Amino acid sequence: MSENRIGHIRLTSHPGAGAAVRFPIHWGAATAKERGPIIGSATADRNAIGAYGGAYSIYRALSVSAGALNPSVRPDLTDTAPVVDMGPFPQWRDGGKVVSLDPWGHLVADDFKAEIDAGVDIRPTIAITKARLSLPEIREAIARGRLKTDGAVVHESGDVAVTKAALDPVWHLPGIAARFGVSEERLRHTLFEQTGGMYPELVTRPDMCVFLPPIGGITLYIFGDPAAISDPARKLTCRVHDECNGSDVFGSDICTCRPYLTHGIEECIREAQNGGAGLIVYNRKEGRALGEVTKFLVYNARKRQPGGDQAATYFERTECVAGVQDARFQQLMPDVLHWLGITRIDRFVSMSNMKFEAIASSGITIGERVPIPPELVPPDASVELEAKKAAGYFSPEAAPSEEDLTHVVGRDLKDF
């Protein structure tokens, strides 16, 4: 039997059945070396539950099954280093500030070079690169005089220069449990049961404290000087946006997602051109983290009910189909802001109270809140916006009346 297979059997059994993990993890340590590498590869050195790549690990398995990929291949990380320096920041050494990603995940090629050269399969969970964005809404903003070309942030072509970062989720289970106010044992058992027993180590290996969950990650788009993001002397505009494929990519007009996203990008560009920085945090949480199938089922239910689509029953129909109105739970969202060293957001481009409260309660100060301009709301999305406002969605207008609130199911949920 191969060494890889032996290691796999040992690590899915109870802790006393084999030798101790060779690379223990000390979450919240001051350096990557002290913390230890996160190893999610199928080798005897594996010290994390799950696999590199999150949901994409399944495609890797298919490639191996089809004979297209040799499972023993190691990535060649030559010239893959981040294009800009990021950190370390004090929040990285606070074990409770960052629990859903590996703050050292972009530095493994350097910090663990000796181990990698010795054959240990350690892979980055964060990558940082540069690119240009080309959006019709930004070219329109230039044509209307709302934005200007400067050759640095916005080029003459209308393309926008950005620094991009992609982050895979890396969960420190004790920290995740503490963030949600549950015991680690309960969290582990629930994750095990609700994934159909896909990860037995969640319950058989309490000594393994890190989980690489099979969920989507985060993409960051930084406008202007990345160093300005963590500099309290320079202004930061930020939008935290949760994925909506139908609107963001295909322009579906039933919601305000793409208009708000592109409005956020425009505000970020303007801040960068004024000497500050702009930041878009794009989370893969389709359909309020309920998924696109559930989302489309709810669309049908809302439109087919007597009287058609209505703000009063907007959230009720979601809960009838999914059992819950929203599964995003923004408690983990601020982690990426702490990874960036952010202590203050001057302009927060969001009407979401849930996001606002999660960020503020994590210790980050928020100044101005920027709503979506009314002229950017598609006609078919008015029901959505009115329902959100009635449920407590931030608006510069007067707060909703008690009568409005009584028509909304789950009115204590501040954001959807």
Side-chain angles (χ1 to χ4, degrees):
M1 185 177 289
S2 71
E3 180 185 355
N4 285 356
R5 182 58 179 160
I6 292 172
H8 177 70
I9 290 174
R10 177 173 64 80
L11 289 176
T12 55
S13 60
H14 290 270
V21 172
R22 186 156 72 113
F23 297 100
I25 296 171
H26 304 286
W27 199 265
T31 67
K33 295 289 284 187
E34 293 175 274
R35 199 284 311 277
I38 304 295
I39 305 175
S41 50
T43 68
D45 289 320
R46 186 161 69 94
N47 62 4
I49 302 166
Y52 288 128
Y56 292 101
S57 63
I58 302 300
Y59 290 102
R60 174 183 169 85
L62 285 176
S63 297
V64 172
S65 297
L69 175 64
N70 183 339
S72 64
V73 166
R74 301 287 186 269
D76 179 355
L77 299 177
T78 303
D79 293 332
T80 63
V83 297
V84 297
D85 293 332
M86 192 63 69
F89 297 109
Q91 294 98 317
W92 297 13
R93 299 187 291 273
D94 182 335
K97 288 290 188 184
V98 180
V99 299
S100 61
L101 58 94
D102 175 10
W104 308 95
H106 56 308
L107 302 173
V108 299
D110 288 333
D111 289 340
F112 299 108
K113 184 178 187 305
E115 290 83 356
I116 292 171
D117 288 347
V120 182
D121 190 2
I122 305 170
R123 306 186 185 192
T125 57
I126 301 174
I128 306 173
T129 189
K130 287 184 179 291
R132 290 190 184 186
L133 301 184
S134 180
L135 296 169
E137 291 90 343
I138 298 306
R139 289 194 290 273
E140 179 183 353
I142 296 169
R144 292 179 177 271
R146 297 198 307 270
L147 290 175
K148 61 180 184 291
T149 59
D150 58 7
V153 179
V154 181
H155 296 273
E156 291 297 328
S157 63
D159 290 351
V160 182
V162 294
T163 301
K164 300 196 302 184
L167 301 91
D168 281 340
V170 177
W171 286 6
H172 179 239
L173 291 171
I176 298 286
R179 191 73 63 85
F180 282 89
V182 300
S183 70
E184 183 184 347
E185 181 181 13
R186 176 177 173 81
L187 174 68
R188 285 174 173 267
H189 276 83
T190 305
L191 288 170
F192 171 72
E193 291 168 357
Q194 295 303 312
T195 57
M198 184 183 294
Y199 300 99
E201 292 152 315
L202 286 166
V203 292
T204 64
R205 294 300 305 271
D207 59 317
M208 297 179 76
C209 65
V210 170
F211 178 39
L212 308 181
I215 60 175
I218 302 169
T219 308
L220 305 179
Y221 292 86
I222 300 170
F223 302 80
D225 181 5
I229 287 182
S230 58
D231 183 352
R234 301 165 75 178
K235 287 190 174 182
L236 173 64
T237 290
C238 173
R239 171 159 178 79
V240 175
H241 188 92
D242 292 330
E243 177 182 28
C244 176
N245 182 65
S247 179
D248 295 345
V249 179
F250 294 99
S252 171
D253 68 351
I254 197 171
C255 62
T256 59
C257 295
R258 181 180 173 96
Y260 217 160
L261 174 60
T262 56
H263 174 61
I265 291 172
E266 182 175 336
E267 294 293 326
C268 285
I269 292 170
R270 189 172 293 109
E271 194 72 83
Q273 290 183 324
N274 289 334
L279 172 67
I280 298 292
V281 179
Y282 195 89
N283 296 293
R284 293 316 192 285
K285 296 178 181 177
E286 179 65 60
R288 304 180 202 150
L290 297 169
E292 210 164 28
V293 169
T294 296
K295 184 178 184 177
F296 288 7
L297 292 173
V298 171
Y299 284 168
N300 288 345
R302 281 170 45 196
K303 292 181 177 182
R304 288 171 176 165
Q305 64 188 340
D309 200 5
Q310 306 164 50
T313 56
Y314 180 87
F315 297 126
E316 180 183 4
R317 299 310 299 141
T318 300
E319 188 166 14
C320 287
V321 174
V324 65
Q325 296 176 357
D326 195 325
R328 285 176 295 178
F329 301 109
Q330 302 292 352
Q331 287 94 325
L332 302 178
M333 175 269 290
D335 285 24
V336 71
L337 303 176
H338 289 294
W339 177 69
L340 291 165
I342 292 171
T343 57
R344 175 179 174 81
I345 297 172
D346 295 277
R347 303 186 75 239
F348 185 48
V349 189
S350 173
M351 296 165 72
S352 162
N353 283 350
M354 203 175 195
K355 292 174 184 175
F356 173 86
E357 290 163 6
I359 293 170
S361 65
S362 79
I364 296 173
T365 301
I366 295 179
E368 179 187 0
R369 298 173 70 179
V370 183
I372 186 171
E375 64 270 19
L376 294 184
V377 179
D380 204 26
S382 59
V383 169
E384 175 210 45
L385 196 57
E386 288 307 310
K388 289 178 176 179
K389 286 180 180 179
Y393 209 66
F394 167 78
S395 171
E397 305 161 2
S401 68
E402 191 65 30
E403 182 180 357
D404 289 334
L405 291 173
T406 60
H407 289 298
V408 180
V409 176
R411 59 188 174 189
D412 57 323
L413 282 174
K414 302 291 186 183
D415 164 71
F416 300 92

